[in-house]
Amino acid sequence: MRSAILAAAFGVLTCASSASVTAQQTPATKQPAAAPQARMDLRQVAPDVYMLESSLGSSNAAFVVTPDGVFVWDADVKTADQVMAAIRKTTDKKLKYVAISHPAGDHATGVWHYREDKPIFIATRTQMRDLYMQEAVEFAERKASNDPAQAAYKTAELVRPDIAFDGALTLNFGGLTFQLTEEGQGHSTSDVTLYIPQRRVMMMGDLLDTEIHPGQGESAMVFFSNPRRWIQVLDRIMDRKLPVDTYIPGHGPVHIGRGVADLEEQKRYWIVIRDEMSKMIMAGKTIKQIQDEFKVPQEFAHYRRPARLKQLLVPMYHQLVEQGYNP
Ligand SMILES: [Zn+2]
């Protein structure tokens, strides 16, 4: 069992996010008969702030407990039941708000599991549009699918946001300040962060993946992950010089107290990978050759899910060829 899980984590499965195996991606390896179930491990990050880490390196979730109720961050239909159970074990307070980092399947499909408490679902207008449009189509396809990997969709419904904002939204709730900021399009059509100044934490969604290769950020078969935009977004966040002790990643383990070093590493990842790729393009390599020969630079050699990098190289190749290096 253990080896089956490891095999899945390290290569057989494609990204659960945007997991959407599409015609444009590397042909999927044969699916296992029973899809491995991610375990969501609970970790306290700061007073009242908790993160749930996916044991398979799929999407994380987080929640914040206040005297007036619980604020929840991200929901994957495959694991949000575990998030709900963890909240119930931690507090008797009800869920009051849910927000999502971006509108991908592994972050935005699981709000249905929170329905008992009728939380208010907050999103950006772009995220809301995506959830009504292409993400709703993908949800319906997965619900109709007999693929065991999509079994969680069978009984679930896609919940649409109640409130949508553009730019930024600040919520004073339960004695804390929740600052939601639409950061732009580094990984998806609308990447949002959540900063809680009193707790010195910032939730990054997939703008930060720790010890794991980032995903392509697929939406309607367009891949939004873009190193240039991603670096710009990270620079803008770092320029704010916020007093943040811990940045909570969308995938991978949380590094409590590491602070801005996590964002610097994510930025370096893009610069180094892009440099490597540019050299190969200039040497006349085809995308197939680059996928086969690409050597992950030393600093990132221990990152999990190398299959995600192999996928990412395709949109990166086209971005570099079409737009130039343009750092
Ligand atoms: Zn993700």
Side-chain angles (χ1 to χ4, degrees):
M1 186 60 190
R2 178 91 186 140
S3 62
I5 289 172
L6 285 175
F10 285 92
V12 178
L13 286 185
T14 52
C15 174
S17 93
S18 340
S20 43
V21 174
T22 69
Q24 297 179 17
Q25 290 176 317
T26 316
T29 321
K30 222 175 171 203
Q31 289 287 338
Q37 253 293 342
R39 191 187 62 243
M40 298 298 276
D41 296 321
L42 183 68
R43 186 146 187 220
Q44 185 163 10
V45 173
D48 313 313
V49 181
Y50 300 84
M51 187 187 104
L52 289 125
E53 182 191 344
S54 164
S55 59
L56 297 182
S58 189
S59 56
N60 299 329
F63 64 92
V64 184
V65 178
T66 83
D68 296 336
V70 180
F71 191 111
V72 191
W73 177 249
D74 277 354
D76 181 350
V77 70
K78 296 178 179 177
T79 54
D81 53 340
Q82 295 183 54
V83 178
M84 188 66 188
I87 294 170
R88 289 283 193 252
K89 267 191 203 156
T90 307
T91 177
D92 58 1
K93 301 294 178 195
K94 299 286 187 203
L95 280 61
K96 280 289 179 64
Y97 295 100
V98 184
I100 54 169
S101 59
H102 63 294
D106 60 335
H107 297 262
T109 53
V111 179
W112 180 79
H113 287 292
Y114 307 146
R115 64 196 181 283
E116 189 178 306
D117 289 2
K118 301 187 174 62
I120 293 169
F121 182 4
I122 303 170
T124 67
R125 283 156 59 117
T126 302
Q127 291 176 342
M128 184 185 253
R129 188 195 62 217
D130 280 12
L131 287 170
Y132 271 91
M133 303 291 284
Q134 66 268 25
E135 296 302 326
V137 171
E138 183 181 87
F139 194 99
E141 283 170 3
R142 291 180 178 184
K143 200 172 161 69
S145 161
N146 288 321
D147 179 351
Q150 312 302 353
Y153 285 80
K154 274 282 177 241
T155 53
E157 301 296 335
L158 181 65
V159 177
R160 268 75 161 185
D162 300 298
I163 293 175
F165 67 95
D166 276 326
L169 183 145
T170 299
L171 190 69
N172 287 311
F173 164 61
L176 297 174
T177 310
F178 295 82
Q179 293 185 4
L180 291 156
T181 305
E182 187 173 27
E183 305 286 0
Q185 296 190 335
H187 168 73
S188 73
T189 56
S190 175
D191 292 305
V192 168
T193 58
L194 170 60
Y195 173 45
I196 306 170
Q198 296 92 339
R199 294 294 176 263
R200 300 174 69 95
V201 298
M202 188 180 228
M203 302 186 190
M204 293 292 293
D206 284 5
L207 292 170
L208 175 66
D209 291 332
T210 53
E211 304 172 42
I212 191 163
H213 293 285
Q216 304 178 98
E218 180 265 347
S219 190
M221 288 195 266
V222 176
F223 303 115
F224 277 85
S225 283
N226 180 305
R228 181 162 54 99
R229 292 199 303 247
W230 199 310
I231 289 166
Q232 287 167 352
V233 165
L234 290 171
D235 277 341
R236 280 203 298 273
I237 295 171
M238 288 190 279
D239 283 350
R240 291 179 207 145
K241 302 204 184 309
L242 296 170
V244 170
D245 293 332
T246 304
Y247 290 90
I248 296 182
H251 295 248
V254 60
H255 299 147
I256 294 171
R258 192 172 183 229
V260 76
D262 265 347
L263 304 191
E264 289 164 350
E265 181 173 328
Q266 183 72 80
K267 177 180 173 180
R268 220 160 40 242
Y269 175 93
W270 288 116
I271 291 171
V272 170
I273 297 283
R274 184 176 59 181
D275 281 354
E276 283 301 306
M277 180 124 195
S278 298
K279 279 184 220 152
M280 295 177 90
I281 292 173
M282 284 188 284
K285 304 274 188 192
T286 65
I287 180 58
K288 176 81 177 62
Q289 287 169 324
I290 292 172
Q291 279 189 308
D292 290 342
E293 298 168 21
F294 194 85
K295 270 208 168 56
V296 179
Q298 187 56 37
E299 182 181 357
F300 312 108
H302 66 290
Y303 276 27
R304 298 169 72 190
R305 299 187 69 181
R308 298 223 296 183
L309 175 60
K310 198 165 183 177
Q311 291 177 333
L312 250 177
L313 292 174
V314 179
M316 280 182 69
Y317 174 87
H318 293 295
Q319 287 160 11
L320 281 166
V321 168
E322 287 162 20
Q323 300 165 12
Y325 182 85
N326 197 14

